[in-house]
Amino acid sequence: MTQTTDLRGIIPERGSRNGSGGLTLAVILLGQFMAILDVNIVNVALPTMRADLHASGAGLQLVVAGYVVSYAVLLITGARLGGIAGHRRLYHLGLASFTAASLACGLAPSTGTLVLFRFLQGAGAALLTPQVMSMIQRDFAGAARARALGFYSAVIAGGVVVGQAAGGLLVGADLFGSGWRTVFLVNVPIGAALLLAGPRVLPRDETARRTRPLRAELDLPGLLTLAPAVLLFVVPLIMGHELGWPSWGWAALAAGAAFAAAFAAVERRAASVGGRPLISPRVLRAPLLVPACVAIVFAPASWGTFLFTTTLHLQGDLRMSPLDSGLAFVPCVTAFGLVGLNWQRLPARWHRRAVPAGFAVAGAGYLFIGPLAGGGLAYEVLTVVIGFGLGVMPIVMTTALQHVQPADAADASGLLLTLMQLAQVIGIATVGTLFLTLAESGGSTRHAEYGTGWALAAMVLLGALCALSLIRDRTPARSSSLSG
């Protein structure tokens, strides 16, 4: 059942700083929607991209991972820049960067340039998206904020659904012979419209007083050690299979480990001298945060990899068109979104118990990916079961933030989002590589689905085991600072 809602009517004037709260929400959530859309819309275009650009399997992985890596690494920094320079200003800067990078992606002449522009597109998203939650927190209050957060959750879930379907529709339409390029070019008119509307609709920023140097606020040493640590870990895993695991790849992995150790040391030092590290020890001491972080890493890692590998299988052995393969995901991601939007209807005592149960359901579903890889109704039902099981991820995020102090809410949320994005990259770099290797050695994507299903099941079942610690905890819940 479809319900049409006028955003102008959901925000009472007393609940927001400005009298056009519905328009404000529409503008910022549409920007958020574009950023989420671009994580998923590219999946359906991958086989067409491979044929047009003669891209390797590693090249395809980098097209997906490049966006997510830069987005994840820069997310916390983007949030802090918003607090320093103004959320409205950073939203517009991020939106302009994202739109320009989308145009560049749509015009990219080669796989290498496309990967580069995807990194830039992710950086724009990292500037844009943190400002959305911040402006909701700043400009809406009480019941208006609760409704705004409900729409925010719907946009996150809807971005996955629409991304898969819209990607198939755009690639299948092949407008003016553009093929896969429209999945990026579609952002350009939307971004331009938002850039024109934003200055007229979004409330002006209040001048913020900075009490410490900009370098300390942003934790540049932390950023400059985290970024190479992630890149030196991800790139060799993605490129290794194609290049026969060269010696430079192993050297890069070792260097990545060294940068990770340096990042930990830099963060400890920043905390000891009263700085503001990207990952604050005070945030990590919040009850339930660390076990929730560990548990949640496995679910998005398996989910992102499942979307990546299943797209290649649907358009591979099952010979689906881009449109049909995109539409094939709609029931799955709809189940994912429905659970994420309705779990609060359950009795409170079931909330934490639902997490390992949901992960276990998804893990059991993954085991049948191979046996049912021939397609048909059974395969479609199986994908719905997987989406239903992984739909409990918002419960983990809510549990993680229950005991975080209000002053640390932004950093804690940024940490969770960063981990979830990096988990997707690691999943695609590892299990995605396994899928490509098995497909090449066995001569079919159906053959690859067996090993991939077992690997995904192991991944998410580890998450279920970690989530058991959330049930055993007896710390009384406190109101999340995100609820207003």
Side-chain angles (χ1 to χ4, degrees):
M1 182 174 65
T2 302
Q3 180 179 358
T4 303
T5 305
D6 182 1
L7 285 177
R8 289 176 183 269
I10 69 163
I11 308 296
E13 188 166 336
R14 292 175 58 192
S16 61
R17 280 188 3 170
N18 63 318
S20 57
L23 289 175
T24 297
L25 192 62
V27 168
I28 62 176
L29 288 186
L30 192 52
Q32 174 75 57
F33 181 76
M34 280 204 307
I36 295 296
L37 193 74
D38 257 59
V39 177
N40 302 283
I41 197 171
V42 71
N43 282 322
V44 180
L46 291 174
T48 309
M49 207 176 288
R50 167 182 263 173
D52 186 37
L53 297 178
H54 307 290
S56 64
L60 295 180
Q61 287 174 294
L62 284 172
V63 168
V64 176
Y67 179 90
V68 181
V69 165
S70 58
Y71 176 62
V73 170
L74 297 173
L75 190 62
I76 296 176
T77 300
R80 291 188 181 173
L81 280 171
I84 295 168
H87 301 300
R88 179 179 185 262
R89 184 177 292 111
L90 261 293
Y91 176 84
H92 287 139
L93 177 60
L95 180 61
S97 303
F98 180 87
T99 304
S102 296
L103 176 62
C105 287
L107 301 177
S110 66
T111 307
T113 53
L114 177 58
V115 170
L116 171 63
F117 294 140
R118 283 285 280 174
F119 273 97
L120 296 176
Q121 194 185 31
L127 293 178
L128 183 159
T129 57
Q131 318 316 324
V132 174
M133 179 63 78
S134 296
M135 284 191 280
I136 288 175
Q137 291 290 97
R138 182 192 70 181
D139 298 326
F140 300 89
R145 181 184 296 173
R147 294 188 193 100
L149 288 172
F151 276 91
Y152 177 84
S153 299
V155 162
I156 299 298
V160 180
V161 178
V162 177
Q164 296 295 135
L169 181 63
L170 290 169
V171 175
D174 193 22
L175 298 173
F176 308 108
S178 55
W180 56 268
R181 299 179 185 276
T182 49
V183 302
F184 300 114
L185 295 176
V186 70
N187 294 325
V188 177
I190 300 173
L194 292 178
L195 286 169
L196 289 173
R200 295 171 173 81
V201 171
L202 301 185
R204 293 189 177 276
D205 295 313
E206 296 176 355
T207 304
R209 292 184 177 180
R210 211 165 62 231
T211 58
R212 64 181 79 203
L214 179 62
R215 180 175 178 273
E217 285 281 355
L218 297 181
D219 186 20
L220 292 180
L223 180 62
L224 293 175
T225 49
L226 175 62
V230 173
L231 288 173
L232 289 168
F233 178 73
V234 170
V235 172
L237 289 179
I238 291 176
M239 301 296 293
H241 167 68
E242 295 284 339
L243 300 178
W245 300 104
S247 56
W248 68 259
W250 299 107
L253 288 171
F259 270 102
F263 172 71
V266 164
E267 297 298 274
R268 282 196 299 268
R269 184 180 184 282
S272 68
V273 299
R276 194 180 176 194
L278 291 178
I279 301 177
S280 168
R282 186 177 65 186
V283 171
L284 295 177
R285 286 194 291 269
L288 295 181
L289 182 67
V290 171
C293 284
V294 174
I296 205 171
V297 160
F298 295 99
S302 74
W303 176 247
T305 309
F306 170 69
L307 296 178
F308 176 81
T309 58
T310 304
T311 298
L312 294 178
H313 174 57
L314 293 177
Q315 295 185 42
D317 279 17
L318 298 189
R319 301 190 181 281
M320 286 188 178
S321 68
L323 175 58
D324 289 340
S325 66
L327 293 175
F329 282 103
V330 171
C332 167
V333 293
T334 299
F336 179 94
L338 287 175
V339 175
L341 290 174
N342 292 286
W343 64 268
Q344 294 185 42
R345 299 176 184 270
L346 294 173
R349 65 181 182 278
W350 292 2
H351 289 175
R352 294 182 190 176
R353 291 181 175 88
V355 176
F359 286 1
V361 167
Y366 282 138
L367 292 175
F368 289 90
I369 285 179
L372 298 179
L377 179 61
Y379 187 76
E380 194 67 41
V381 171
L382 176 63
T383 66
V384 171
V385 170
I386 293 169
F388 179 84
L390 293 179
V392 300
M393 281 196 282
I395 306 179
V396 190
M397 294 190 69
T398 302
T399 301
L401 297 172
Q402 277 183 346
H403 306 289
V404 173
Q405 296 298 319
D408 297 325
D411 282 0
S413 300
L415 172 61
L416 283 173
L417 292 172
T418 297
L419 287 174
M420 290 173 68
Q421 297 300 325
L422 289 178
Q424 289 188 57
V425 174
I426 293 170
I428 291 171
T430 53
V431 183
T433 297
L434 173 66
F435 174 87
L436 293 170
T437 302
L438 293 174
E440 181 181 327
S441 63
S444 74
T445 57
R446 183 171 183 175
H447 170 78
E449 287 282 81
Y450 284 87
T452 302
W454 281 94
L456 292 175
M459 187 181 290
V460 80
L461 289 174
L462 281 173
L465 290 175
C466 295
L468 291 175
S469 62
L470 303 179
I471 299 176
R472 292 193 295 267
D473 184 86
R474 292 293 181 265
T475 308
R478 52 170 285 159
S479 298
S480 170
S481 59
L482 293 178
S483 63

